[in-house]
Amino acid sequence: MRLDLKLLSIRFSQKKEEPPVPQDGINTYLLENILMPALDSKDIYLKDVDFTAFDVDDIDKLEDYYNQLYNTGRRLDQFIQTVAQTLPSASSIRSFC
């Protein structure tokens, strides 16, 4: 398998800076105070949770968002493994800087 690093770098530079999964409809309190700290392995205490800042439907949306994040991360890990297993090959055309 060949990997065109120049094309890959162009694609990465063209990618917009945005969250890997759209955050539309996600309760910002749950996202900023529950999910993100949990993903950073921080402790979350029930006494600190403001249960009036969200409702039950928001939890379902947060779960869907987390699952999408997880799947995106898994695909990224697969890509990283593919790149890591790709053997380097010499350029067929001599390059000068």
Side-chain angles (χ1 to χ4, degrees):
M1 177 177 171
R2 293 183 56 117
L3 184 64
D4 187 344
L5 294 178
K6 189 171 191 171
L7 179 61
L8 183 63
S9 68
I10 290 170
R11 300 283 183 191
F12 280 145
S13 68
Q14 292 173 342
K15 181 73 176 132
K16 294 179 183 175
E17 189 71 31
E18 59 190 11
V21 176
Q23 297 176 349
D24 302 335
I26 305 301
N27 182 297
T28 55
Y29 176 81
L30 289 175
L31 186 63
E32 294 172 2
N33 298 300
I34 305 297
L35 182 61
M36 293 306 168
L39 291 175
D40 288 336
S41 301
K42 294 182 181 172
D43 293 332
I44 302 167
Y45 300 101
L46 286 176
K47 66 180 179 87
D48 297 332
V49 176
D50 179 8
F51 289 97
T52 62
F54 60 92
D55 57 24
V56 175
D57 294 334
D58 292 332
I59 296 172
D60 291 334
K61 291 177 187 176
L62 186 70
E63 180 185 15
D64 292 340
Y65 176 77
Y66 170 76
N67 289 332
Q68 290 176 5
L69 273 180
Y70 176 80
N71 290 333
T72 300
R74 189 174 45 82
R75 288 192 306 270
L76 182 58
D77 284 341
Q78 288 174 344
F79 175 73
I80 290 169
Q81 289 175 7
T82 300
V83 171
Q85 294 172 357
T86 303
L87 298 174
S89 62
S91 176
S92 58
I93 300 173
R94 195 170 196 178
S95 301
F96 295 98
C97 296

